[in-house]
Amino acid sequence: MTDLHTIRVTVNGTTYERTVEARMLLSDFIRHELGLTGTHVGCEHGVCGACTVLFDGQPVRSCLMFAVQADGHEIMTVEGLAPEGEMHPLQEAFHEAHALQCGFCTPGFLMTLKPFVETHPNPTEEEIRKAISGNLCRCTGYQHIIEAVKLAIKKIHHTDA
Amino acid sequence: MAGRYFGQPIRRNEDPVLLTGQALFTDDVQLPGMVHVAFLRSDYAHARIRSIDVSRALDRPGVIGVYTAEDLGDYWQPGPLLVPPPPVEGIIFHQRTQVPLAKGKVRHVGEPVVMVVAESRYIAEDALDDIFVDYEPLEAVVDVEKALEPDAPLVHEDLGTNLAARVVQRKGDYEAARAKADVIIQRRFYYDHGLAAAMENRGIVAHWDKKMQYLTVWDTTQAPVVIRNGLAKMLGLSESQVRVIAPFIGGAFGPKIMMFYPEEVLIPWLSMKLNRPVKWIEDRRENFVATTQERYQVHYAEIALTKEGRILGVKDRFYHDTGAYDPYGLTVPINSQCTLLGPYDIPNYHSEMNVVFTNKTIVTPYRGAGRQHGVFVMERLLDLAAKELGIDRTEIRRRNFIPPDKFPYNNEIIYQDFAPLVYDSGNYEPALDLAMKLIDYEKFIKEEQPRLRAEGKHVGLGIVAYVEGTGIGPYEGARVQVESTGKVNVATGVGTQGQSHFTSFAQIVAEQLDVDVRNIRIVTGDTAEFHWGTGTFASRGAVVAGNAIHAAAKKVREKVLQKASEEFGVPVEELELRGGYVHTKDGRSISLADLAVKANPLRGAVKPGTEPGLEATMYFGPERGVTANGVHAMIVEVDPELMDVKIKKYVVVHDCGKVINPLVVEGQIHGGVAQGIGNSFYEEIVYNEDGQMLTASFMDYLIPTAMEIPPIEVGHVETPSPWNELGTKGTGEAGAIPTAAAFVQAVEDALADYGIEILEAPLSPNRLFEILKEAQAKKGT
Ligand code: FES
Ligand code: FES
């Protein structure tokens, strides 16, 4: 009864060829097939945003997709945000603003925010809040995350958000 | 004593691995040959199990085993009682603890009935559908008051009642005080506190290595040492054969300390039985029904006052829903009973607590742990009294605060740590003054509110005070060691779930040894590194483990100086420890690394009694907890058409004694307030009359997002605890405790012209609508 498919997916610049069941979630594929466990799973029903990855550059919830849907596509996970031993300005900003506590939600926030901070040199606070409104964090109350976003934008665009 | 490290907003050591996706969480553990477990859980709140047929599941390819209660043999035992009842005279307490797999009867939705193990999680879940359980549904016990009626169905038939406990505590003579009162206010209050909903669900991986005769368990627990000791006993192993690792944990907030969850008992057993690594990871739906939660209490409370607003006494009778079992004893309702007294000088108190079994998920502490319920009742009583007496709400609180010269203040009743509830220290008026200043109290009520009201806006202010008992015993310990690399290694038994221990504990050590915080490695939650300790709960990490680490670091400092003094032939008093070196006045110096090597010689003789290395292990066991306090204030605007409530401003003034890292404390407060706001207006567990939870997804149980949480302004007052050397008090729960009380007061104030009285939390747009309608109907009649 298992329905197997061979897929080719590029993750963080490396192309993987794997044979998977049609029903395998993309989140499980990334975590358990590829061993990229930085992507977290908090709800498996599309609400918490912890599993967010970039799919051809766009943030998507990997728990709401099947691995087979990623065939021929490019994915970026938190492990691909910066070369080993370095940090993306967004990661630096999260560190500096104390924007994470348990850190479980953090990869999802980072992946949601990467395109946002790179394309919004001057967002209002309301826009920042909207940008992260699809990600749940149970530890921080969001305030330091919002500060981190402002700081990241400053670092990236050399502006004052 | 803000030092170079202690008290500084130092960035966290743990961040880099977390930010780059390299941190190890339980579900990240991947072992060769690992198999996966899924549980078939009860769909019924209350039902007899007539039979279970697992044959089809066993036939499914990829299924390795299927287990019911019968298959566990003697290993099937009810769990231990984690917290025994407190020593209060006349107490009634009935112990009924959870079982690994239901036998004969299920008592709540989500109770595990069958365990399936398979080659993959997908197959294990498929196999759950193959199992047939023949249930005979029974009437569910849902309401705490109806549960005590004579003909109510029984959760535990052998008990003959649903009453799990009754505890009456007294201070002074309430009836005598009541006789002297000018005003008496009586009401019924309802307070519901919900789910912790940590972003990471629970999970366990167990690996029995037969050749090594060694069991390794990764567990999302707040108390790894206790789990290790319990597992060794249950499995007939020596404690030294079991290593429990609580790796990075994605938030906990209380429910991850519930020794033992059925899964914690079963997964290690199964690994030994199969001789393979076994993994079980909870999914979110399971988390809603199978991870412990908090719930509601109903209070019948009254307060007796003089006409000047001085409290003469408080009387309360309340009913606490403990769910189907009571493994955590009375911690939650005792917290409610004690915390109700708050920062006020209340000479007479009479409180009757009734704890009731229901057919619902087990109740154990979740951030606040019953304190919310007590604070809500007391603060509402004061609001009602202020109104009745025509006294300003801040003034009535001020008049009743325990004055600073009355500390230590003895409330006489017994607290959750079994010691009399004595507050170590406190200075409450400055906290109130600062909160009033930050929220601009006078200006708001005299100018802003009238102006906005004239414009047709419904704005209101809430301001409440609270205390939080923190940092209770029994003890924690720590080992601090200067390695031959010059780096410092610190191990402690508490687990960590986001509290920044890797940094704040390092700051405590750095203050003594003057080593860069980044060169101090903290190990928490690994029994192979440190096997004494009780766990992370009750806002005690910074106080209890913190002071143990402080003591060990001081001892190591002494050893360092002693060793250097021997090396240089210079008295200790003439040496200085700075920047990783010990310096003499005449310009000689030696590094900590070199001293560590010299303290561990490989040849030659040492003086008798010499201990190797620069290492010390110390313990801290406080006689009783320390009491933090604070004031929360907020301004809200209510839309009386949509019943939407917007929080326009939020202020927290808190006093947790000495602060180790202000960034971390602020983070704790922000997060607590966010949970408090959720508990005020968004989050609600709804059970129907059959005991089914109707809100078991994030689509129905609403965790606030960045759109709902306002900016939070934090003000500090610092009253160091005289009861520990660091002067710290806990802060983990402070943010979450008084929020709903402030919220309800603010909403009532905003809707003052409707003449409503809100005696419950959480609210919701629907509930607010009903309350307004009820008030209007009353007006009409
Ligand atoms: S795990 Fe995908 S949204 Fe929660
Ligand atoms: S930091 Fe813990 S959930 Fe966001």
Side-chain angles (χ1 to χ4, degrees):
Chain A
M1 69 164 254
T2 39
D3 178 14
L4 297 175
H5 299 262
T6 299
I7 57 171
R8 280 168 66 87
V9 188
T10 305
V11 182
N12 303 331
T14 306
T15 302
Y16 299 87
E17 193 175 294
R18 291 283 194 282
T19 302
V20 298
E21 272 188 76
R23 64 175 175 171
M24 174 170 276
L25 297 179
L26 180 57
S27 50
D28 284 342
F29 177 75
I30 292 168
R31 290 180 46 76
H32 302 307
E33 289 294 312
L34 304 184
L36 295 168
T37 53
T39 300
H40 294 156
V41 171
C43 72
E44 277 183 306
H45 57 260
V47 181
C48 75
C51 65
T52 305
V53 298
L54 296 185
F55 189 86
D56 296 335
Q58 292 301 314
V60 299
R61 288 161 195 246
S62 59
C63 75
L64 290 187
M65 286 183 71
F66 294 112
V68 289
Q69 291 175 281
D71 187 21
H73 292 273
E74 256 187 57
I75 286 171
M76 183 191 273
T77 67
V78 67
E79 290 93 341
L81 267 181
E84 176 111 36
E86 290 174 36
M87 285 211 256
H88 186 275
L90 192 55
Q91 290 166 311
E92 287 171 11
F94 265 61
H95 179 47
E96 287 161 29
H98 182 35
L100 61 156
Q101 289 180 29
C102 78
F104 193 79
C105 68
T106 312
F109 274 90
L110 294 172
M111 301 322 285
T112 300
L113 282 164
K114 180 183 187 293
F116 179 82
V117 294
E118 287 173 354
T119 55
H120 289 74
N122 236 325
T124 62
E125 173 147 340
E126 190 65 12
E127 285 171 321
I128 297 175
R129 286 181 181 270
K130 279 214 177 96
I132 57 169
S133 65
N135 289 74
L136 298 180
C137 173
R138 197 56 161 164
C139 298
T140 64
Y142 305 105
Q143 191 155 328
H144 285 162
I145 296 179
I146 292 159
E147 280 162 31
V149 176
K150 293 180 186 167
L151 190 60
I153 287 171
K154 245 189 245 176
K155 285 173 184 273
I156 293 167
H157 300 281
H158 310 285
T159 55
D160 267 77
Chain B
M1 81 181 184
R4 290 189 54 191
Y5 305 96
F6 191 99
Q8 298 303 325
I10 288 175
R11 289 176 192 153
R12 303 198 320 167
N13 278 345
E14 52 268 63
D15 285 352
V17 285
L18 289 165
L19 283 164
T20 53
Q22 303 304 320
L24 183 87
F25 290 86
T26 301
D27 190 24
D28 303 344
V29 175
Q30 189 76 42
L31 299 167
M34 191 163 75
V35 292
H36 301 263
V37 163
F39 287 93
L40 183 72
R41 297 177 184 277
S42 173
D43 295 323
Y44 290 94
H46 198 192
R48 222 168 287 293
I49 301 173
R50 287 205 196 99
S51 63
I52 304 175
D53 180 0
V54 301
S55 54
R56 282 182 49 224
L58 280 168
D59 288 344
R60 180 179 284 276
V63 169
I64 296 161
V66 181
Y67 303 86
T68 66
E70 308 303 328
D71 301 317
L72 300 179
D74 288 346
Y75 192 64
W76 188 95
Q77 294 289 338
L81 180 66
L82 182 51
V83 185
V88 177
E89 224 188 282
I91 181 174
I92 297 173
F93 179 74
H94 300 299
Q95 170 181 343
R96 287 295 178 278
T97 54
Q98 71 289 351
V99 297
L101 292 170
K103 196 187 259 184
K105 180 167 148 168
V106 288
R107 294 187 174 84
H108 69 86
V109 172
E111 185 164 17
V113 181
V114 185
M115 170 168 67
V116 173
V117 56
E119 294 294 344
S120 81
R121 171 77 186 223
Y122 286 77
I123 298 171
E125 287 192 22
D126 287 343
L128 298 183
D129 291 339
D130 300 333
I131 297 167
F132 178 72
V133 182
D134 186 9
Y135 289 110
E136 175 194 333
L138 301 170
E139 201 188 327
V141 180
V142 179
D143 178 277
V144 283
E145 291 176 274
K146 286 193 195 136
L148 297 181
E149 287 171 5
D151 52 354
L154 295 174
V155 180
H156 301 279
E157 279 104 359
D158 61 315
L159 211 54
T161 172
N162 288 317
L163 185 77
R166 176 169 290 145
V167 181
V168 179
Q169 296 220 63
R170 293 183 193 84
K171 173 185 185 187
D173 180 349
Y174 177 76
E175 292 307 324
R178 187 183 203 274
K180 283 186 242 139
D182 297 315
V183 183
I184 289 163
I185 291 164
Q186 279 182 336
R187 291 292 188 281
R188 176 185 192 269
F189 298 95
Y190 174 94
Y191 192 98
D192 189 15
H193 188 209
L195 284 166
M199 283 299 112
E200 181 200 31
N201 293 307
R202 288 184 297 128
I204 301 155
V205 178
H207 179 205
W208 169 246
D209 185 328
K210 197 170 179 185
K211 295 218 170 94
M212 292 282 288
Q213 291 284 298
Y214 195 76
L215 177 70
T216 309
V217 178
W218 290 262
D219 185 359
T220 54
T221 180
Q222 295 168 237
V225 178
V226 186
I227 296 291
R228 179 197 75 151
N229 296 352
L231 280 178
K233 200 165 169 191
M234 284 187 261
L235 295 166
L237 297 171
S238 146
E239 286 170 3
S240 66
Q241 280 175 288
V242 184
R243 176 183 183 188
V244 174
I245 302 168
F248 276 102
I249 293 181
F253 315 115
K256 284 180 178 163
I257 189 165
M258 207 296 283
M259 289 79 75
F260 280 79
Y261 275 107
E263 302 87 352
E264 270 168 332
V265 175
L266 293 170
I267 304 301
W269 173 84
L270 189 58
S271 177
M272 288 185 74
K273 194 170 172 69
L274 300 177
N275 198 20
R276 288 178 77 170
V278 181
K279 179 189 264 190
W280 169 73
I281 301 296
E282 184 182 58
D283 70 20
R284 184 55 63 180
R285 193 191 125 71
E286 290 181 289
N287 185 270
F288 274 98
V289 292
T291 287
T292 60
Q293 49 189 240
E294 270 198 36
R295 261 191 322 269
Y296 76 103
Q297 290 175 357
V298 176
H299 288 250
Y300 294 88
E302 66 173 61
I303 186 167
L305 309 104
T306 66
K307 56 183 182 307
E308 293 78 32
R310 280 287 317 179
I311 303 169
L312 296 173
V314 174
K315 183 174 183 180
D316 184 28
R317 182 180 87 249
F318 71 99
Y319 299 85
H320 168 79
D321 181 347
T322 195
Y325 303 97
D326 58 358
Y328 219 104
L330 300 176
T331 299
V332 175
I334 286 272
N335 273 341
S336 311
Q337 190 166 51
C338 290
T339 310
L340 188 143
L341 292 168
Y344 309 111
D345 189 3
I346 300 175
N348 303 288
Y349 184 44
H350 183 283
S351 169
E352 176 191 305
M353 161 215 301
N354 296 281
V355 180
V356 183
F357 287 121
T358 59
N359 288 117
K360 292 183 233 166
T361 300
I362 303 170
V363 167
T364 72
Y366 154 45
R367 200 177 206 168
R371 296 179 182 90
Q372 279 92 336
H373 306 68
V375 168
F376 186 80
V377 171
M378 187 66 212
E379 294 301 307
R380 289 274 70 198
L381 285 171
L382 283 174
D383 292 339
L384 292 162
K387 238 181 234 169
E388 174 104 12
L389 293 164
I391 301 173
D392 179 89
R393 58 195 140 167
T394 60
E395 183 56 30
I396 197 165
R397 288 172 167 85
R398 191 184 296 279
R399 284 184 197 169
N400 287 289
F401 277 156
I402 300 165
D405 57 5
K406 262 198 164 177
F407 291 94
Y409 181 86
N410 191 346
N411 262 318
E412 296 169 29
I413 60 176
I414 300 293
Y415 191 46
Q416 61 154 313
D417 58 356
F418 308 158
L421 179 65
V422 180
Y423 300 168
D424 60 312
S425 59
N427 193 5
Y428 301 147
E429 280 203 71
L432 179 63
D433 290 337
L434 183 54
M436 288 173 73
K437 186 171 144 220
L438 293 175
I439 202 93
D440 227 341
Y441 184 78
E442 295 297 330
K443 183 156 175 230
F444 180 81
I445 54 168
K446 294 211 176 97
E447 297 170 30
E448 294 277 305
Q449 195 176 33
R451 181 174 61 75
L452 291 164
R453 278 191 176 151
E455 290 173 18
K457 293 204 168 122
H458 295 80
V459 290
L461 186 148
I463 183 162
V464 299
Y466 67 96
V467 297
E468 184 199 353
T470 74
I472 57 171
Y475 78 95
E476 288 301 331
R479 185 183 68 242
V480 174
Q481 181 206 352
V482 177
E483 295 177 356
S484 55
T485 56
K487 294 193 188 221
V488 179
N489 194 28
V490 181
T492 170
V494 300
T496 187
Q497 308 91 33
Q499 296 91 338
S500 315
H501 291 150
F502 301 96
T503 311
S504 49
F505 289 168
Q507 288 176 254
I508 294 172
V509 174
E511 195 61 41
Q512 293 306 319
L513 300 179
D514 201 26
V515 172
D516 187 327
V517 165
R518 280 167 301 186
N519 285 327
I520 300 174
R521 178 169 176 267
I522 307 286
V523 181
T524 70
D526 181 347
T527 61
E529 296 264 357
F530 201 83
H531 63 253
W532 297 105
T534 61
T536 309
F537 56 92
S539 305
R540 65 196 289 281
V543 181
V544 188
N547 276 287
I549 290 167
H550 174 66
K554 269 180 33 181
K555 190 105 199 185
V556 170
R557 182 189 165 87
E558 276 169 30
K559 287 193 177 182
V560 165
L561 292 173
Q562 186 55 42
K563 191 78 201 155
S565 143
E566 286 164 19
E567 283 302 312
F568 291 129
V570 169
V572 165
E573 305 74 58
E574 289 174 22
L575 294 170
E576 195 194 354
L577 177 53
R578 175 165 39 85
Y581 287 80
V582 180
H583 301 268
T584 61
K585 288 203 166 132
D586 60 6
R588 286 177 294 162
S589 68
I590 183 166
S591 71
L592 286 180
D594 289 342
L595 280 171
V597 172
K598 286 183 189 294
N600 182 23
L602 298 182
R603 294 290 184 277
V606 294
K607 268 192 243 145
T610 300
E611 286 176 15
L614 302 173
E615 179 181 292
T617 300
M618 296 292 279
Y619 298 88
F620 180 73
E623 209 177 312
R624 47 176 67 117
V626 290
T627 304
N629 69 282
V631 174
H632 285 213
M634 72 169 94
I635 291 171
V636 303
E637 180 171 349
V638 183
D639 174 343
E641 294 293 314
L642 296 175
M643 300 294 149
D644 193 24
V645 181
K646 283 244 159 344
I647 301 175
K648 309 296 260 185
K649 194 169 174 166
Y650 202 110
V651 166
V652 175
V653 175
H654 81 116
D655 185 346
C656 62
K658 287 284 181 192
V659 169
I660 305 170
N661 184 327
L663 260 187
V664 168
V665 168
E666 273 190 22
Q668 285 285 323
I669 287 176
H670 294 164
V673 169
Q675 292 185 9
I677 291 173
N679 183 207
S680 304
F681 200 57
Y682 300 99
E683 300 177 31
E684 189 181 4
I685 309 177
V686 180
Y687 281 94
N688 71 6
E689 64 279 13
D690 298 325
Q692 289 288 344
M693 193 197 282
L694 304 181
T695 48
S697 86
F698 280 157
M699 258 94 83
D700 305 293
Y701 188 86
L702 305 177
I703 305 285
T705 72
M707 303 304 284
E708 285 81 44
I709 304 303
I712 297 154
E713 198 178 336
V714 181
H716 301 271
V717 173
E718 191 175 287
T719 312
S721 175
W723 289 356
N724 66 67
E725 223 178 289
L726 290 176
T728 49
K729 302 174 182 179
T731 191
E733 298 169 276
I737 291 173
T739 319
F743 185 83
V744 164
Q745 189 197 99
V747 169
E748 206 177 86
D749 185 30
L751 297 172
D753 41 341
Y754 292 80
I756 55 168
E757 206 173 84
I758 307 176
L759 305 175
E760 65 191 60
L763 297 173
S764 64
N766 288 347
R767 190 54 201 136
L768 206 46
F769 177 75
E770 286 167 12
I771 291 171
L772 284 190
K773 287 286 158 242
E774 284 161 23
Q776 276 163 356
K778 247 195 218 154
K779 253 193 207 167
T781 54

